[in-house]
Amino acid sequence: MLPPYNSKVFSVQDSVPNRKLYCETMSQLIKEKDGIDHYLEVNFKGLSKEEVAAYRNSYKKTICVDMLQDGYHKSFTELFALMEKWDALREAARVRSIFWLQRPLEEQPDKLDHFYYYLTRAEVAERKEFFEDVYNNLYALACYFNHSEDKWVRNHFYERCFQIAQLIKVDGGKKEAEARGHMGLLFEEEGQLLEAAEHYEAFHQLTQGRIWKDETGRFLNLLASESLLRIYRLLADKMLENKDYKQAIRILIKASEIAQEGNNKKMEGEASYYLGLAHLAAGEYETALAVLNTYSEISTDLDDELGLGRAYEAIAKVLQSQGEMTEAIKYLKQVVKILRNNFQFLDAVKASTMLGDIYNEKGYYNKASAYFQQAFDTTTELTNIPLMEETKVHYGIAKAHQMMLTINNYIESADLTSLDYLLSWKESRSNITPDPVTRESRKATLASLYETSEHLEELSGFPDNVQKNET
């Protein structure tokens, strides 16, 4: 727009050349505008108002206008509400973090196109009461927005699918079953476990005796069973944290029964494993052993080595709680072997540490040091710094115990050879070697045997109920 002429710009004192310069500038601007108008008239003749608006407006506004002009008022209302929430969430995240990278919706035309295409198709189908088509279009949107930054959009369409699914009466309840599963997942991700369990139970009930499959070819009944067992396990974990053992065992027994009904041995074994751990936490050791032995048998039948390793580790914990250290060690040694053969090194570190703890507690410091060193070396190879620091502490304690017992033996021997060993160690502060010569002292003899003879430890077995004689 050209600036209006203002007579006040020039005072009486202004010179004629200044007035002339202003007039020439205004004349040039008018000529340029006339040239632009002529160019538009020649080259863009016939543009409608809608085409001009599409050029001038943002793509988001154009989509909204098209919806209204085409009569999709319900689609526009839903899209507009989603846009407002999108902007609100984006602004809230921007305030919380400078690393917020979510782009505005108007900069993502593909998403806007999906909104327009599927929302309008769903609205047309709803007018005709073709509710299955409505469901399919809304579910397509839910799948499209199944990304971490857009999950709230996905959840919105999961809820819409659930509402529509209850209106479908011609498929025997399949769409409702699918929608129940999606709602269960929605609540599970939000941490609302009881609400999730309610939907998963309905999902499982609707699919019983059916051979329905999802879009990936998986049987819905199997998916429902897996989802229900998973949520029961999460609920049981919460109960165990609150020391509500009876309720946790009750819900895990229910999970085990569901797994048995599904005729899926792997799922049945998993249910037995978690039930066994619950009995262990409750102090019901005999029951825990029986249930965990069932899991080990199932794992053996399925040739599932990792499952067998988990079963053996849990059984070892039960035996350790009962004071049956010899049997616990046997199982743990098998666990370490299985895990290393299957390259599960982090779990092998855990099992080696358990073995080291048992040996260290009973005074078998050589063996304790060996297993702690094995765990430490593994964490060093894996460059797992936090775990490496933890195993290093265990290893250091066991080595200190080992050295302490040896030094005590030398002190109690009270002979020149022992004194030479002690003085030599004090000067160098290196590893001190136990004296292989048999002492007259019974205590020294026992200590020497414990510390120097791995063979005698194996022959005598692990003394679960034998206490060392300190006299």
Side-chain angles (χ1 to χ4, degrees), residues 100-119:
W100 173 244
L101 300 176
Q102 175 78 316
R103 290 181 298 159
L105 192 56
E106 55 264 27
E107 296 179 9
Q108 303 183 69
D110 288 345
K111 292 181 179 180
L112 290 168
D113 287 340
H114 274 76
F115 275 130
Y116 181 88
Y117 182 77
Y118 288 106
L119 282 177

Side-chain angles (χ1 to χ4, degrees), residues 28-39:
Q28 181 65 28
L29 290 172
I30 291 171
K31 288 180 180 179
E32 290 178 0
K33 180 180 182 300
D34 291 341
I36 293 172
D37 290 343
H38 176 71
Y39 178 81

Side-chain angles (χ1 to χ4, degrees), residues 252-268:
L252 288 172
I253 288 174
K254 188 176 180 181
S256 183
E257 292 172 350
I258 291 172
Q260 291 173 12
E261 291 173 3
N263 293 322
N264 186 304
K265 281 295 182 181
K266 185 172 179 61
M267 196 161 54
E268 184 181 341

Side-chain angles (χ1 to χ4, degrees), residues 397-456:
I397 291 172
K399 291 293 289 183
H401 286 162
Q402 181 183 6
M403 185 177 294
M404 177 187 66
L405 186 58
T406 304
I407 290 175
N408 285 343
N409 291 337
Y410 282 130
I411 292 173
E412 292 173 2
S413 296
D415 55 29
L416 291 176
T417 304
S418 299
L419 184 59
D420 288 340
Y421 274 120
L422 289 171
L423 291 173
S424 175
W425 171 77
K426 190 172 181 180
E427 291 176 358
S428 64
R429 295 292 180 177
S430 58
N431 288 335
I432 184 167
T433 306
D435 185 8
V437 178
T438 305
R439 314 293 185 187
E440 293 181 358
S441 167
R442 179 174 180 272
K443 183 176 181 180
T445 302
L446 287 175
S448 179
L449 287 173
Y450 285 144
E451 290 297 314
T452 63
S453 178
E454 299 290 336
H455 178 64
L456 287 178

Side-chain angles (χ1 to χ4, degrees), residues 293-313:
N293 280 325
T294 300
Y295 178 41
S296 68
E297 291 170 3
I298 291 174
S299 299
T300 302
D301 292 340
L302 295 175
D303 198 21
D304 179 9
E305 286 196 349
L306 292 179
L308 188 61
R310 291 174 73 197
Y312 284 168
E313 183 179 353

Side-chain angles (χ1 to χ4, degrees), residues 117-235:
Y117 182 77
Y118 288 106
L119 282 177
T120 55
R121 284 166 62 91
E123 185 172 351
V124 170
E126 191 169 4
R127 290 172 187 169
K128 300 176 181 178
E129 297 188 351
F130 294 163
F131 295 116
E132 194 166 356
D133 289 341
V134 177
Y135 179 96
N136 290 335
N137 282 284
L138 296 177
Y139 181 63
L141 280 171
C143 293
Y144 179 76
F145 287 99
N146 190 19
H147 305 287
S148 57
E149 69 273 12
D150 297 333
K151 277 194 176 179
W152 68 270
V153 184
R154 182 207 66 178
N155 292 346
H156 168 81
F157 288 111
Y158 274 169
E159 291 174 353
R160 289 273 281 120
C161 285
F162 178 62
Q163 295 167 0
I164 295 297
Q166 296 177 76
L167 302 176
I168 301 173
K169 306 298 182 183
V170 297
D171 67 344
K174 181 181 179 182
K175 294 299 185 188
E176 184 180 355
E178 290 179 349
R180 287 283 190 177
H182 300 146
M183 290 299 294
L185 178 62
L186 185 158
F187 282 113
E188 181 183 349
E189 290 178 346
E190 293 180 352
Q192 301 180 43
L193 302 184
L194 290 175
E195 291 82 355
E198 181 181 347
H199 283 287
Y200 283 143
E201 285 170 350
F203 182 25
H204 182 260
Q205 185 176 359
L206 287 167
T207 57
Q208 277 189 315
R210 303 285 191 169
I211 56 172
W212 294 329
K213 294 182 180 180
D214 64 5
E215 63 272 12
T216 64
R218 296 189 64 194
F219 285 104
L220 289 180
N221 182 250
L222 177 60
L223 184 60
S225 298
E226 290 175 349
S227 301
L228 190 54
L229 263 61
R230 183 177 65 251
I231 206 66
Y232 280 166
R233 191 161 62 244
L234 292 173
L235 283 169

